[in-house]
Amino acid sequence: MSRRERYLVGLDVGTTHVCSVVGEGLDDGSLDIVGLGVAESRGIKRGVVVNLEAAVASIKKAIEEAELMAGIEIDSVHLSLSGPHIKGFNSRGVVAVAGKNREIARDDVRRAIDAAKAVALPTGREILHVLPQDFVVDEQDGIGAPVGMTGARLEVNVHVVTGATSSTQNIIACVNRTGVSVVDTVVEQLAAAEAVLTSDEKELGVALIDIGGGTADLAIFERGSLWHTAVVAVGGDHFTSDIAVGLRTPIPDAEKVKRKNGCALSSMVDEDETIEVASVGGRKPRLMARRILSEILQPRAEEVFHLVWDEIRRAGYEKSLNSGIVLTGGGSILEGMPEIAEQIFDLPIRRGCPADVGGLADHVNSPTFATPVGLVLYAHRNRVPDPRRAGVGAFGRMAGRLRGIFKEFF
Ligand SMILES: Nc1ncnc2c1ncn2[C@@H]1O[C@H](COP(=O)(O)OP(=O)(O)OP(=O)(O)O)[C@@H](O)[C@H]1O
Ligand SMILES: [Mg+2]
């Protein structure tokens, strides 16, 4: 592998921050984090560009910082996509096995996947991922790798993730404006899952909730595959604005007090504990009970988790989460979040930090970095070839993704 190919870059353009992580693939197959750049996010709201110039400037800053730290020049990235425009659904493809002796070949699998993704999408939407779940050969279901087996009929179950073409294109355009190309796009919760979930959890059944600034993204895994994705339009920033309104304090102070003293479960807070809160209009800071702050935060935490729980139940997975729930994203750092989630879901809950990376792992050891680190891990594990170097366009990008999927299976 050339020096250039060894480096992989993940770019997470979030509502709160833009984060760029550089990973170096080592000869033994492991991955070291060698660079990190974080910039305050401007011009992006819930995965959608609202101010192009501002978004480009934030992305540029994050990339330059990571370049400086890693000592390399970044020319291509894996980009995360998020926001309420991301939707997922399950689909099924069926084909007759083509070979004379009915032995299933890779081409049959490819055709079955093509059939599964041949669904009519509303105009303005595009397929972002086609993730095989399992195969059925004749009547035998639950097959992971059908190549080489014999049968007349091959079926595949897949999870298809789609997004709004314009939202995706606008973010890619912002990245391109900084002189950097996008090798591949990965949906946020899929990237975060790569960094924080273990394969045992994915096998047994787990829900990942990535609580960002503007949204909470849900992904449900079972038998090693992704079965359900959804986005709930409430995130950490709603907690902050509740504090700003409830305590009549400016947003930046509300954010500070949330991080320093916030707790999502008021019963965890001692009644006598007091905190200092800044006032609006240059008035003197006030002393108040920390319990009051907690009473402001708790209903919002309950709202997020109830919305997610409704979504899990609607999709029919409430009995499948044998490994419980993993919380990640900056919003999960708030004290008391796992505890209140445990009360609502009545399942084991843990916070997920990026694992399985070396190098500057300490710098990214926070739920905030789950998505950007996950992007690098996703790229490393799938090793999607750069379409620019292969000389193909948008179709190649999709083919590249499928190559990645095939790699997981064979
Ligand atoms: N120490 C902390 N305590 C409480 N909340 C925190 C802490 N650190 C970050 N947050 C909150 O996490 C949220 C940002 O999370 P994250 O960085 O994952 O979001 P993002 O990726 O930019 O947003 P999105 O994924 O919604 O586009 C903010 O609301 C912030 O207030
Ligand atoms: Mg995020």
Side-chain angles (χ1 to χ4, degrees):
M1 221 187 298
S2 74
R3 185 174 179 271
R4 194 184 159 91
E5 281 171 346
R6 275 210 318 267
Y7 291 105
L8 295 161
V9 185
L11 180 69
D12 176 28
V13 184
T15 304
T16 336
H17 70 224
V18 180
C19 181
S20 164
V21 166
V22 185
E24 182 181 3
L26 303 181
D27 292 337
D28 63 2
S30 62
L31 184 88
D32 270 2
I33 300 299
V34 295
L36 171 68
V38 184
E40 199 183 327
S41 177
R42 298 229 178 263
I44 309 276
K45 283 248 167 345
R46 300 204 242 137
V48 173
V49 180
V50 290
N51 180 333
L52 199 98
E53 296 303 326
V56 171
S58 297
I59 293 169
K60 202 161 189 255
K61 188 158 177 280
I63 286 182
E64 281 172 359
E65 211 178 290
E67 281 180 330
L68 210 63
M69 193 161 171
I72 61 159
E73 200 180 308
I74 295 172
D75 59 8
S76 62
V77 295
H78 279 68
L79 176 71
S80 72
L81 296 176
S82 65
H85 70 97
I86 306 284
K87 304 254 186 299
F89 61 89
N90 291 331
S91 175
R92 168 176 286 210
V94 187
V95 290
V97 177
K100 259 197 223 133
N101 50 3
R102 298 285 177 215
E103 189 178 312
I104 297 167
R106 278 166 191 250
D107 197 49
D108 296 311
V109 174
R110 206 183 304 266
R111 282 189 305 115
I113 292 176
D114 281 345
K117 68 178 198 315
V119 283
L121 290 181
T123 40
R125 295 196 67 80
E126 62 173 346
I127 292 180
L128 301 171
H129 296 280
V130 182
L131 302 159
Q133 296 161 328
D134 59 9
F135 295 87
V136 183
V137 177
D138 293 342
E139 298 305 307
Q140 175 89 42
D141 58 6
I143 294 169
V147 172
M149 294 176 77
T150 308
R153 171 192 163 100
L154 175 70
E155 285 177 47
V156 61
N157 292 311
V158 298
H159 187 70
V160 182
V161 185
T162 67
T165 312
S166 57
S167 305
T168 309
Q169 289 311 321
N170 283 337
I171 296 222
I172 293 177
C174 287
V175 179
N176 292 158
R177 280 243 202 148
T178 67
V180 170
S181 70
V182 174
V183 181
D184 202 1
T185 52
V186 186
V187 168
E188 173 152 30
Q189 53 270 59
L190 197 60
E194 206 67 50
V196 304
L197 297 184
T198 65
S199 40
D200 284 347
E201 282 173 330
K202 287 196 239 178
E203 199 58 45
L204 278 171
V206 68
L208 177 77
I209 310 175
D210 176 344
I211 308 173
T215 56
D217 304 351
L218 168 72
I220 299 174
F221 291 83
E222 206 191 356
R223 283 174 278 143
S225 310
L226 181 62
W227 289 84
H228 187 70
T229 38
V231 178
V232 169
V234 186
D237 293 350
H238 295 88
F239 290 71
T240 307
S241 45
D242 288 349
I243 299 175
V245 174
L247 301 185
R248 277 183 252 110
T249 188
I251 290 273
D253 295 290
E255 178 70 25
K256 269 190 223 147
V257 81
K258 177 180 86 169
R259 291 183 185 218
K260 189 155 171 260
N261 306 108
C263 180
L265 184 61
S266 57
S267 60
M268 284 171 69
V269 178
D270 198 351
E271 275 183 53
D272 306 329
E273 237 181 294
T274 53
I275 54 169
E276 199 179 85
V277 180
S279 300
V280 275
R283 293 188 202 93
K284 275 206 305 196
R286 298 155 286 159
L287 268 188
M288 55 170 282
R290 186 174 170 228
R291 194 78 185 257
I292 296 179
L293 174 65
S294 207
E295 280 162 3
I296 293 172
L297 294 170
Q298 183 163 336
R300 192 58 95 172
E302 284 170 352
E303 185 197 8
V304 179
F305 292 132
H306 276 130
L307 286 170
V308 171
W309 201 208
D310 288 348
E311 185 61 42
I312 292 173
R313 272 199 297 236
R314 213 180 5 251
Y317 292 97
E318 74 270 34
K319 298 257 185 294
S320 313
L321 309 177
N322 298 309
S323 300
I325 290 177
V326 178
L327 304 180
T328 194
S332 73
I333 304 173
L334 182 67
E335 194 187 323
M337 287 296 264
E339 289 78 4
I340 193 165
E342 214 161 283
Q343 291 189 359
I344 291 170
F345 296 108
D346 195 20
L347 286 167
I349 313 277
R350 72 170 179 91
R351 270 197 197 94
C353 288
D356 270 353
V357 288
L360 304 170
D362 287 357
H363 286 64
V364 293
N365 189 20
S366 158
T368 314
F369 298 120
T371 303
V373 172
L375 283 169
V376 181
L377 278 167
Y378 178 95
H380 181 58
R381 287 170 186 161
N382 291 310
R383 277 273 162 201
V384 180
D386 185 339
R388 287 172 318 141
R389 278 164 216 159
V392 286
F395 175 76
R397 234 179 67 208
M398 179 57 74
R401 274 181 212 143
L402 286 176
R403 260 196 298 278
I405 293 161
F406 287 137
K407 243 185 187 156
E408 279 166 27
F409 271 84
F410 309 116

